Amino acid sequence: MNAHTTVNNHTPGDTGPQGDGSAMQTEKSETALDGAALHQALAIATAEEREDILRETVRTQLADILAPAVVDDDSNFLENGLTSLTALELTRNLMTLTDVEIPLVAILEYPTPAQLGHYLAEAYAAVNSGDGATA
């Protein structure tokens, strides 16, 4: 799980107050959407670890979008204020990070970080079953 910690350590350092919000948002977005570290972590993870990593990635991305909302594994996206525009942002961010095509309807079909993380783990495994490691 050490890879899991490395992937998700980007967000805590980015949440402190910083002047105007635009600089913070740009810095956070660039750091949060670097999929290389995520791909490395997923490539060496077991199936269970991969699901944990992707669940945490969903939570992190959702918390960034809905800030300052607290998001736990069973938080319903829509009940936490996710709109059609923010759902589109969430799926776009997750697709950028994972290189897995995520239909927008997946947000409704898998409406919690735990459920969407499970879906992403299965989809990621299916996409990468041929080569095991992606860059």
Side-chain angles (χ1 to χ4, degrees), residues 13-14 77 117:
D14 294 336
F77 298 140

Side-chain angles (χ1 to χ4, degrees), residues 16-133:
Q18 300 178 10
D20 72 4
S22 61
M24 182 177 74
Q25 183 63 34
T26 302
E27 181 180 323
K28 185 188 298 184
S29 297
E30 290 172 3
T31 302
L33 294 179
D34 177 18
L38 179 63
H39 283 285
Q40 289 174 349
L42 293 172
I44 63 172
T46 65
E48 184 178 309
E49 290 171 334
R50 189 177 302 124
E51 187 171 331
D52 290 343
I53 291 167
L54 288 167
R55 181 184 63 242
E56 185 61 28
T57 300
V58 170
R59 286 181 58 201
T60 301
Q61 291 302 311
L62 186 62
D64 284 351
I65 292 168
L66 298 178
V70 175
V71 179
D72 63 32
D73 291 344
D74 296 317
S75 294
N76 184 288
F77 298 140
L78 300 177
E79 291 173 6
N80 278 307
L82 198 71
T83 65
S84 58
L85 290 175
T86 54
L88 182 60
E89 182 179 357
L90 177 63
T91 55
R92 186 183 65 233
N93 290 354
L94 292 171
M95 286 190 293
T96 298
L97 287 168
T98 62
D99 291 332
V100 172
E101 187 68 29
I102 305 167
L104 190 55
V105 71
I107 299 296
L108 298 175
E109 293 175 353
Y110 309 98
T112 69
Q115 292 173 342
L116 189 57
H118 179 76
Y119 166 80
L120 285 174
E122 289 181 346
Y124 184 87
V127 167
N128 295 291
S129 62
D131 60 357

